[in-house]
Amino acid sequence: MQLTRKGLWAGLIREFRDFLPEIKDEAITTLLEGNTPLIESVNLKDIFGDIRLLLKYEGLNPTGSFKDRGMTMAVSKAREEGAKAVICASTGNTSASAAAYAARAGMKAYVLVPDGGIALGKLSQAMMHGAMVLQIKGNFDDALNIVKAITKDYPVKMVNSINPYRIEGQKTGAFEVSEHLGYAPTYHFLPVGNAGNITAYWKGYKEYYKEGIISNLPKMMGFQAEGAAPIVLGHPVEDPHTLATAIKIGNPASWEGALKAKEESGGTIGMVTDDEIIEAYRLLAAREGVFCEPASAASLAGAIKLKKDGVLIDGDTVVCTLTGHGLKDPDNAMNASPKPVKVAADVKKILKIMGF
Ligand SMILES: *Cc1c(COP(=O)(O)O)cnc(C)c1O
């Protein structure tokens, strides 16, 4: 199948219509999400040598994370079905995205977030977009269980990634990578929380492969944080902990999907420490000029680890999805960086500090 794109980007439902569930035009709710850049790494050669490393910068979606890809589909479908309200449990980005797309659709959004541990940017987004924000005394897994219980009996549409339309929208990330490169990478690295995204990317690659748009498939490489690594450990984690709050999940909803992606592609589900995550987070910002949030950097941390282990070799093409924007989480950014220097408004004193 030959693909041609022309004109201005129309949002991913219209751009990828042939590959998505049918939807009435008047129900389409879009903020022109998708079409994010695939940025070639140029300053990490000391680590990666002659591996081609590319960064799929999902922080440049309308609300600053890949969640918009799934949300345009989920909210559009909910609207088509006549829903008046959506609900989700969230570690932050899903709530920001649900709130924005619900506002756009003229729907009410209810978001359940853990009380504490939500990055400031994400919480402020959900509030600004007019969602009802419910901070529960519990973690993400508790919040998701409550959402499941409510949507069973009440007329509010669940927009967590167990909503199949979320996965449908998110698979378009793999379409874009395939179109940008003209082939699939050797390895595709992703952070893994609820495991919806790795499930979605694998689905997307397989669909493009089946249509003959790409003639190879990547190995899917999912990385969890060490303190929240249920899939690696093989059992749910009761009290997950990591500073990468977007992947602080103890019982992933798409566990099976992640295992299938790993097994079918010959990939891995691994884990990285918070120190490794923060190191990758800083490298991306300070050396490549790409600011992602901590959870996003778990993908690069995984790639660095597997390069050190000799799994990645020269000539490989490696894509890391950077799932969310760094501005979401100013607190972690401040903690990971040298402090500003306080100095008198005096040219001589400033020059001295500058080293001249
Ligand atoms: C949601 C999220 C993840 C985890 O994605 P899953 O589909 O739940 O595995 C990773 N990073 C960021 C920034 C997120 O918002």
Side-chain angles (χ1 to χ4, degrees):
M1 184 173 157
Q2 189 64 37
L3 291 168
T4 49
R5 282 193 199 290
K6 40 184 185 289
L8 294 175
W9 186 257
L12 59 83
I13 294 180
R14 292 194 171 96
E15 294 289 338
F16 297 110
R17 221 163 189 171
D18 294 346
F19 291 87
L20 293 171
E22 251 180 73
I23 182 154
K24 285 205 203 81
D25 213 63
E26 60 271 24
I28 294 176
T29 305
T30 181
L31 293 164
L32 307 184
E33 58 297 310
N35 198 26
T36 57
L38 188 64
I39 302 171
E40 183 113 29
S41 162
V42 287
N43 291 326
L44 298 176
K45 300 251 182 273
D46 54 331
I47 301 170
F48 286 98
D50 285 328
I51 290 164
R52 186 174 181 208
L53 175 66
L54 299 123
L55 311 166
K56 181 67 170 158
Y57 191 24
E58 289 289 280
L60 293 191
N61 275 297
T63 77
S65 86
F66 77 84
K67 299 297 198 301
D68 294 343
R69 291 183 186 275
M71 208 53 75
T72 184
M73 273 301 308
V75 169
S76 297
K77 269 290 170 188
R79 191 172 172 187
E80 190 180 61
E81 291 161 14
K84 299 277 179 282
V86 296
I87 187 170
C88 64
S90 179
T91 60
N93 281 330
T94 300
S95 67
S97 187
Y101 282 82
R104 184 86 178 170
M107 290 162 71
K108 177 93 199 146
Y110 301 94
V111 306
L112 271 70
V113 298
D115 186 10
I118 296 290
L120 193 60
K122 304 175 188 181
L123 188 59
S124 62
Q125 285 177 290
M127 292 162 62
M128 276 300 284
H129 290 304
M132 178 178 284
V133 180
L134 298 151
Q135 287 186 304
I136 64 152
K137 295 205 187 316
N139 59 27
F140 171 84
D141 303 285
D142 301 322
L144 185 59
N145 286 332
I146 293 168
V147 167
K148 283 181 188 165
I150 291 173
T151 50
K152 205 153 58 71
D153 297 323
Y154 293 88
V156 273
K157 200 79 192 168
M158 130 108 72
V159 292
N160 279 104
S161 59
I162 34 182
N163 177 326
Y165 297 119
R166 282 275 310 276
I167 304 290
E168 288 299 312
Q170 285 170 211
K171 76 185 179 190
T172 60
F175 294 168
E176 290 178 17
V177 172
S178 301
E179 291 184 34
H180 283 151
L181 291 173
Y183 51 89
T186 328
Y187 295 96
H188 193 124
F189 285 78
L190 290 144
V192 171
N194 246 325
N197 215 24
I198 191 169
T199 303
Y201 266 87
W202 181 234
K203 188 168 196 284
Y205 279 123
K206 283 195 298 186
E207 288 181 10
Y208 260 27
Y209 182 76
K210 196 164 154 241
E211 289 298 324
I213 297 164
I214 48 172
S215 52
N216 67 313
L217 286 167
K219 291 185 176 16
M220 299 303 296
M221 316 297 276
F223 276 80
Q224 304 198 287
E226 196 180 58
I231 302 178
V232 179
L233 300 174
H235 58 78
V237 173
E238 191 74 36
D239 186 22
H241 56 90
T242 169
L243 57 72
T245 49
I247 53 172
K248 192 173 145 189
I249 287 169
N251 192 12
S254 297
W255 194 313
E256 289 305 317
L259 286 182
K260 203 168 136 200
K262 170 198 138 172
E263 274 151 27
E264 289 180 358
S265 73
T268 297
I269 307 288
M271 60 186 178
V272 282
T273 65
D274 277 9
D275 285 349
E276 289 170 318
I277 288 172
I278 290 298
E279 175 62 17
Y281 172 58
R282 282 152 78 176
L283 276 174
L284 284 168
R287 290 230 228 141
E288 296 288 9
V290 177
F291 190 19
C292 65
E293 61 174 287
S296 308
S299 60
L300 181 69
I304 292 172
K305 186 170 173 173
L306 294 198
K307 168 63 171 106
K308 283 183 186 151
D309 291 351
V311 176
L312 310 186
I313 54 167
D314 284 355
D316 285 343
T317 300
V318 173
V319 171
C320 290
T321 295
L322 302 179
T323 43
H325 202 290
L327 287 172
K328 294 264 189 182
D329 190 348
D331 295 307
N332 267 313
M334 296 296 280
N335 289 336
S337 316
K339 298 285 162 284
V341 183
K342 289 204 201 273
V343 56
D346 178 285
V347 173
K348 274 200 188 130
K349 284 186 179 145
I350 290 173
L351 281 169
K352 186 151 177 252
I353 291 171
M354 288 168 72
F356 289 111

